[in-house]
Amino acid sequence: MADQGELMRRAMALASNGLGLASPNPMVGAVVVSGDRVVGEGWHEGPGTPHAERMALAEAGANARGATLVVSLEPCSHHGRTPPCTDAIVEAGIGRVVAAIRDPNPLVDGRGFAILGAASIPVEEGVLADEAAELIAGFAKHVTTGLPLVTLKMAGSLDGRAAASDGSSRWISGEAARADVHRMRAASDAIVVGSGTVLADDPALTVRLDGYRGRPPLRVVVDGTGRVGTAGRLFDGSAPTLVATTHVASTSAREDWEAASAEVAVFEPGDGTRVPLAGLVELLGKRGCTSTLIEGGPTLAWAALEEGVVDRIVLYVAPKLVGGERAVGVLAGRGVATIADALPVDIRRVERVGEDLKVVADVHRDR
């Protein structure tokens, strides 16, 4: 049989075909191998569609008997919109299963492996486990807490500026970094920006990737006072839009948003006129959003960190120096009073993306 790591990488590459489609289910890929020959491949494209294992087994047909199934996630063992994959695996006569990780869904979480073991099908777990866990990080957070995985995206110069003294910020990062952001958008169910970003940049917040087949993410505008009008691209109908606001915003502003086909969610203001981001994240989780990307400016970024809703930070560092006392930093807001109060993060990786550096860090906070 071919190298297990290579086969698992193929399974995870297949899983990416579900980008923008699989959620709120996890992206999963599967490969059926008979001897040294791949006889079946599959992936999951979303609720109600065949799971990766069933697609791969169907392609393999009779060649599945005695073969090895390589799958990026533990096969499901419960009835949902589709029947259990463990049944299909047993019926197909699979001789061995190689899985990356167990399913964090409490309805599965080891039961699939147990059922296969009871049917005398050996299971090997843990091949490329870290990569597979990253693939379903949003699903794992949502299925265990009801909340989405929240990623805060920021971009700045080498000296930490998000914009120059005149307020200009386009484009502080390079073309490759911007393309990488579109891949992050595609992996997200919702994209959140603040009213300041909308007024300054008129963003579309759509996914612009060649060959992208997924659904457009929900565009979320955080506007506690009703500053944003409906003439911008966020109200062009190209993707669904939600405006998160408070009772401070006028009735006419809320009516205008609704007339422009946007959904409006009204929250009790926290800290003056601020939309409570913890409440917004909870609402998104209840709507089935498993991954949320915050793309707002420095003020919204700090508010999200201050309220403790951020799980992960992605910072693009451009090889530029801006300087200037009036130039805006990547974080604004009140900040912390002393270095001892600084929010610690765990840097997971640093990589080159075109001319920029991409820093990915997990945020340390009580969950």
Side-chain angles (χ1 to χ4, degrees):
M1 188 176 73
D3 176 75
Q4 287 187 164
E6 180 182 338
L7 291 168
M8 189 62 74
R9 287 189 180 89
R10 176 57 184 167
M12 288 191 282
L14 290 166
S16 67
N17 287 317
L19 189 67
L21 296 168
S23 183
N25 292 350
M27 292 193 295
V28 183
V31 179
V32 179
V33 186
S34 180
D36 291 329
R37 187 165 62 99
V38 173
V39 295
E41 296 184 331
W43 61 88
H44 181 51
E45 290 205 342
T49 66
H51 286 192
E53 301 94 321
R54 286 183 174 270
M55 181 185 288
L57 291 171
E59 185 175 284
N63 291 319
R65 188 156 298 278
T68 296
L69 172 68
V70 179
V71 61
S72 60
L73 183 66
E74 176 185 8
C76 68
S77 56
H78 65 290
H79 282 271
R81 297 188 185 184
T82 57
C85 288
T86 49
D87 290 356
I89 292 168
V90 173
E91 291 166 6
I94 284 289
R96 178 168 170 262
V97 171
V98 177
I101 53 175
R102 64 178 53 203
D103 192 332
N105 186 343
L107 294 175
V108 186
D109 196 12
R111 288 187 62 226
F113 291 154
I115 290 171
L116 296 174
S120 299
I121 300 175
V123 175
E124 180 176 350
E125 178 187 355
V127 178
L128 299 185
D130 290 345
E131 292 92 328
E134 179 68 19
L135 187 67
I136 66 158
F139 168 77
K141 172 79 184 292
H142 187 261
V143 81
T144 55
T145 69
L147 300 173
L149 182 80
V150 178
T151 299
L152 171 62
K153 187 275 292 183
M154 299 182 289
S157 62
L158 191 60
D159 57 336
R161 310 299 194 191
S165 297
D166 66 353
S168 60
S169 60
R170 289 188 176 183
W171 290 102
I172 205 162
S173 55
E175 185 176 344
R178 296 196 295 273
D180 195 55
V181 170
H182 280 280
R183 287 187 284 272
M184 290 175 60
R185 287 181 179 181
S188 303
D189 297 312
I191 305 170
V192 182
V193 294
S195 57
T197 295
V198 177
L199 294 173
D201 298 338
D202 187 24
L205 301 186
T206 52
V207 178
R208 297 185 288 280
L209 290 175
D210 290 341
Y212 178 66
R213 301 181 301 116
R215 299 179 295 268
L218 175 69
R219 306 181 292 192
V220 181
V221 181
V222 177
D223 182 359
T225 60
R227 300 171 65 201
V228 174
T230 58
R233 292 191 291 176
L234 290 179
F235 299 91
D236 62 6
S238 62
T241 296
L242 168 77
V243 180
T245 190
T246 72
H247 295 292
V248 176
S250 67
T251 301
S252 61
R254 299 199 295 268
E255 290 175 345
D256 287 345
W257 291 326
E258 291 172 342
S261 299
E263 183 180 351
V264 178
V266 182
F267 296 88
E268 288 297 328
D271 192 15
T273 61
R274 201 160 84 177
V275 173
L277 297 180
L280 173 59
V281 168
E282 183 179 355
L283 172 66
L284 293 175
K286 289 178 179 178
R287 293 172 59 105
C289 291
T290 64
S291 296
T292 296
L293 179 63
I294 297 179
E295 285 198 41
T299 300
L300 181 65
W302 178 256
L305 290 166
E306 190 175 39
E307 287 197 42
V309 301
V310 177
D311 298 294
R312 180 173 297 171
I313 293 171
V314 175
L315 171 65
Y316 297 93
V317 181
K320 300 172 183 175
L321 297 172
V322 176
E325 293 182 358
R326 291 182 299 166
V328 178
V330 293
L331 290 174
R334 290 176 292 203
V336 297
T338 70
I339 287 296
D341 297 325
L343 181 67
V345 300
D346 179 17
I347 296 178
R348 300 176 63 239
R349 66 180 184 271
V350 179
E351 60 192 67
R352 288 292 293 267
V353 179
E355 62 188 19
D356 301 315
L357 287 180
K358 178 182 179 181
V359 182
V360 180
D362 289 335
V363 179
H364 290 209
R365 62 179 177 80
D366 294 333
R367 294 176 181 272

